[in-house]
Amino acid sequence: MKMRKSVKDGFYNQWKYDMNHLYFARVECPRDDIFEWNKAMYKEMHIILHDMQKRHYYPILIIVHKDQPNEYCHFHMLLDYIDPNS
């Protein structure tokens, strides 16, 4: 757990001063009965990503894990907001 936090913090700290339009999000599966990644969850992830891109948020890094058995499926994303008017 310490190593995972260190990697996440190191990566985020590297970018936070360079870019002021980065966002970190935890995205949870809308179904709380899915604890394992499967085809349905993979498809759901793509729908969520497509919806975010329509709002001009583009993924830089996506961390998908299933090493937390007490929590249902979720993933983490580092997103870059690209203003369509700039």
Side-chain angles (χ1 to χ4, degrees), residues 24-69:
F24 186 75
R26 174 184 164 126
V27 181
E28 296 185 355
C29 177
R31 291 181 47 190
D32 62 2
D33 63 335
I34 297 178
F35 291 90
E36 293 287 329
W37 282 91
N38 56 33
K39 288 182 182 181
M41 186 54 205
Y42 185 76
K43 184 177 178 182
E44 186 68 31
M45 182 177 81
H46 280 274
I47 291 168
I48 292 168
L49 286 173
H50 182 69
D51 187 51
M52 294 180 92
Q53 288 175 345
K54 288 193 301 188
R55 292 177 170 84
H56 310 289
Y57 290 92
Y58 298 91
I60 295 173
L61 174 70
I62 300 173
I63 301 170
V64 176
H65 58 83
K66 59 180 182 179
D67 61 338
Q68 297 174 334

Side-chain angles (χ1 to χ4, degrees), residues 15-31:
W15 288 96
K16 75 178 183 179
Y17 297 109
D18 295 332
M19 304 174 83
N20 61 359
H21 43 82
L22 289 180
Y23 298 90
F24 186 75
R26 174 184 164 126
V27 181
E28 296 185 355
C29 177
R31 291 181 47 190

